[in-house]
Amino acid sequence: MIKKVLIAEDHESANISVQKTLEDLGITDFQHAYYCDDALEMVKQTAKTDRSYDLMITDLHFEPDDRKVSITNGIDLITAVREVQPDLKILVFSADFTTSTIQMLYNKLDIEGYIRKARHDAQEIKQAIKDLGMHRRYLPRPIMDLINGKNGYEFSTFESAIVKLLAAGTMQKDIPTRLQELQIKPSGLSSVEKKLNQLKQVLNVATNEQLVAFCKDNGII
Amino acid sequence: MIKKVLIAEDHESANISVQKTLEDLGITDFQHAYYCDDALEMVKQTAKTDRSYDLMITDLHFEPDDRKVSITNGIDLITAVREVQPDLKILVFSADFTTSTIQMLYNKLDIEGYIRKARHDAQEIKQAIKDLGMHRRYLPRPIMDLINGKNGYEFSTFESAIVKLLAAGTMQKDIPTRLQELQIKPSGLSSVEKKLNQLKQVLNVATNEQLVAFCKDNGII
DNA sequence: GGTTTTTTTATGGGAAACCGTAAATGATCA
DNA sequence: TGATCATTTACGGTTTCCCATAAAAAAACC
């Protein structure tokens, strides 16, 4: 069960909304830090005591300003915190959404969860904290799928060309011609259809529209 | 011809990349400011001299920090700068991409160009500066289309709901049911089809996939 | 060189999307 | 209330997409 939470986040607005979300979940025992250094210090102060934190919610990007700091970003903060209190659960809350970053955090730094700053992030935070309370890790659905299925799925020129053409308004039946113009093989309509099906299955999306949305969200196209 | 440039941008990384881009264009005479106040002061100092700037590249959002400032954002900066040196060309370089914001900047503040911080923004900056050198204004293609066509197009809840459902993988034929669940009217399939056609025409896109891509790019969904 | 295996392309039937038109519903106003 | 107008929904024909299967081509192997 998550009872005591530390929020490391330089944006005041994000800070407020996270606090509000915690309150909605009935969690009232939380502190926040605007600088990584402060967050680390707060963990250090409490780690070996009965006032230790159960969860740290942290941003990845911290805006540098006049104050001299030794830790400038969330990744370094997580690394440092892990040394001090290894059992502290960590939930990353960031606008960054590149698959490689998340996979690194998940595989190398063993974070317990990742929420993207996006449309319904507050709802996601709630779900994530519930999952964490049940000792389950939480990742955004598409990333979860990537890790569970083929991990580190990379888009080939063929695949990215198809999705780009779709996003540019090319009708599926016209894609073979365009691929030939681009000198990309294969170019047959069946191959395009097959690849689209494959992509949809791997990425767990239902339609071409959703595929395009996913690729846009993840900066693939 | 653009020779002397002022960069107003609080992110150091963005600052560096803009400078690099300028150097690629053969522009070496540039200064930068991390605060709006500083940028305005630099314009004031040079406006009436032979050292005046040809172009100011500015962000819209500036992170507040310990320093007390009188101008906190790009819009106020642009307004103030226009008073001091009306002929200074202004290129906005921002992550914000809401149509209404850009149209306001373009129509009310008469900015010369707008670049979104995005995938290929450096290339766009180059193109924009070339255009500006030829006394042409530069806007992202989709926004240009909006302004040339119907201007000031705002997405209603109905429209945005449809596009969101598409982007979430809902099949078109299932959208009516979902709209009813969301208590959004109209919900008939014909109405959905009609609206999609209308959106595609207004936004100058050919397919649903392209529509989703456009809305993702513009932060509409 | 010929056989197997894989990849690519072609084909056809059925589902979904597209598009025009007509019917139905709802709003407005005398 | 009833007539008019606008909006929403229903329907049918056509195109595109989807999906399974088979043919063709290319690659790998002996």
Side-chain angles (χ1 to χ4, degrees):
Chain A
M1 190 61 186
I2 308 288
K3 285 182 194 160
K4 189 169 177 183
V5 179
L6 174 61
I7 306 166
E9 165 70 65
D10 62 341
H11 287 58
E12 195 180 3
S13 58
N15 227 316
I16 291 169
S17 60
V18 171
Q19 292 183 21
K20 174 75 171 53
T21 307
L22 289 177
E23 285 167 359
D24 288 350
L25 284 168
I27 301 174
T28 52
D29 189 6
F30 51 78
Q31 279 82 47
H32 67 263
Y34 285 107
Y35 295 87
C36 293
D37 287 10
D38 296 344
L40 177 59
E41 191 56 33
M42 290 162 84
V43 174
K44 276 183 181 169
Q45 296 283 335
T46 57
K48 301 274 164 44
T49 74
D50 55 0
R51 297 176 292 111
S52 69
Y53 291 99
D54 301 313
L55 170 68
M56 178 173 81
I57 301 177
T58 180
D59 195 357
L60 290 181
H61 176 78
F62 287 77
E63 210 62 35
D65 61 24
D66 300 333
R67 175 171 160 179
K68 283 267 178 289
V69 290
S70 60
I71 301 180
T72 60
N73 64 75
I75 291 175
D76 292 346
L77 173 61
I78 294 169
T79 310
V81 160
R82 277 269 182 258
E83 305 252 328
V84 179
Q85 186 186 340
D87 71 331
L88 177 62
K89 293 187 195 302
I90 292 175
L91 180 59
V92 173
F93 182 50
S94 167
D96 185 9
F97 203 61
T98 47
T99 304
S100 55
T101 303
I102 302 177
Q103 291 198 340
M104 187 278 286
L105 288 167
Y106 191 83
N107 294 323
K108 297 281 182 348
L109 295 181
D110 289 313
I111 61 167
E112 270 73 19
Y114 189 104
I115 308 285
R116 183 190 186 190
K117 282 177 181 167
R119 246 87 31 211
H120 302 95
D121 44 16
Q123 288 176 27
E124 282 208 62
I125 289 179
K126 288 182 186 175
Q127 184 59 49
I129 290 180
K130 283 179 192 164
D131 283 7
L132 262 51
M134 294 183 288
H135 302 286
R136 273 203 311 239
R137 296 163 89 185
Y138 182 92
L139 287 187
R141 165 52 41 83
I143 302 299
M144 193 85 89
D145 293 338
L146 272 183
I147 287 174
N148 290 340
K150 290 193 176 186
N151 40 349
Y153 193 77
E154 287 291 322
F155 272 64
S156 67
T157 49
F158 176 57
E159 291 160 337
S160 105
I162 292 177
V163 181
K164 279 178 186 166
L165 285 170
L166 279 182
T170 315
M171 277 197 296
Q172 207 161 302
K173 71 181 178 67
D174 296 328
I175 289 184
T177 316
R178 292 290 161 76
L179 287 176
Q180 284 172 359
E181 291 168 6
L182 295 168
Q183 300 184 347
I184 292 174
K185 294 191 303 189
S187 64
L189 182 56
S190 291
S191 298
V192 172
E193 290 172 344
K194 183 182 170 188
K195 179 54 75 180
L196 279 173
N197 277 333
Q198 190 186 326
L199 282 175
K200 284 186 229 173
Q201 196 165 12
V202 170
L203 301 176
N204 194 31
V205 298
T207 64
N208 282 351
E209 289 91 337
Q210 194 180 7
L211 176 63
V212 168
F214 176 86
C215 290
K216 281 286 176 191
D217 280 341
N218 292 332
I220 294 167
I221 57 170
Chain B
M1 190 61 186
I2 308 288
K3 285 181 191 159
K4 188 169 178 182
V5 179
L6 174 60
I7 306 166
E9 165 70 63
D10 62 341
H11 288 58
E12 194 180 4
S13 58
N15 226 316
I16 290 170
S17 61
V18 171
Q19 293 183 20
K20 174 73 171 55
T21 307
L22 289 176
E23 285 168 359
D24 288 351
L25 284 168
I27 300 174
T28 52
D29 190 5
F30 52 78
Q31 278 82 47
H32 66 262
Y34 285 106
Y35 295 86
C36 294
D37 287 9
D38 295 345
L40 177 59
E41 190 56 34
M42 290 163 84
V43 173
K44 277 183 181 169
Q45 295 283 336
T46 57
K48 302 273 163 46
T49 73
D50 56 0
R51 296 176 293 112
S52 68
Y53 292 99
D54 300 314
L55 171 67
M56 178 172 80
I57 301 176
T58 180
D59 195 358
L60 290 182
H61 176 76
F62 287 77
E63 209 62 34
D65 60 25
D66 301 330
R67 176 172 159 179
K68 284 266 179 290
V69 291
S70 60
I71 302 179
T72 60
N73 64 75
I75 290 176
D76 292 345
L77 173 61
I78 294 169
T79 310
V81 160
R82 277 268 181 259
E83 304 253 326
V84 179
Q85 186 187 339
D87 72 331
L88 176 61
K89 292 187 196 302
I90 291 176
L91 181 59
V92 173
F93 181 50
S94 167
D96 185 10
F97 204 61
T98 46
T99 304
S100 54
T101 303
I102 301 177
Q103 292 198 338
M104 188 277 288
L105 288 167
Y106 190 84
N107 294 323
K108 298 281 182 349
L109 295 181
D110 289 313
I111 61 168
E112 270 73 18
Y114 190 102
I115 307 287
R116 183 192 187 191
K117 283 179 182 166
R119 242 99 17 220
H120 301 95
D121 46 14
Q123 289 177 27
E124 282 207 63
I125 290 179
K126 289 183 185 174
Q127 185 59 48
I129 290 180
K130 283 179 191 165
D131 283 7
L132 262 49
M134 293 182 289
H135 302 286
R136 273 203 311 238
R137 294 164 90 186
Y138 181 93
L139 287 188
R141 167 52 38 86
I143 302 300
M144 195 85 90
D145 292 340
L146 271 184
I147 287 174
N148 291 339
K150 290 195 176 186
N151 42 348
Y153 193 79
E154 287 290 324
F155 271 64
S156 67
T157 50
F158 177 56
E159 291 161 338
S160 102
I162 292 177
V163 182
K164 278 178 188 168
L165 284 171
L166 279 182
T170 315
M171 278 197 296
Q172 206 160 303
K173 72 183 177 68
D174 297 329
I175 288 185
T177 315
R178 292 290 159 77
L179 286 176
Q180 284 173 358
E181 290 169 6
L182 294 169
Q183 301 185 343
I184 293 174
K185 296 191 301 189
S187 65
L189 184 55
S190 290
S191 298
V192 172
E193 290 173 343
K194 183 182 170 188
K195 179 53 74 180
L196 279 172
N197 277 333
Q198 191 185 326
L199 282 175
K200 285 187 229 174
Q201 196 165 11
V202 170
L203 301 176
N204 195 30
V205 298
T207 64
N208 282 351
E209 288 91 336
Q210 194 181 7
L211 175 63
V212 168
F214 174 86
C215 291
K216 280 286 175 190
D217 281 341
N218 294 2
I220 295 168
I221 58 170

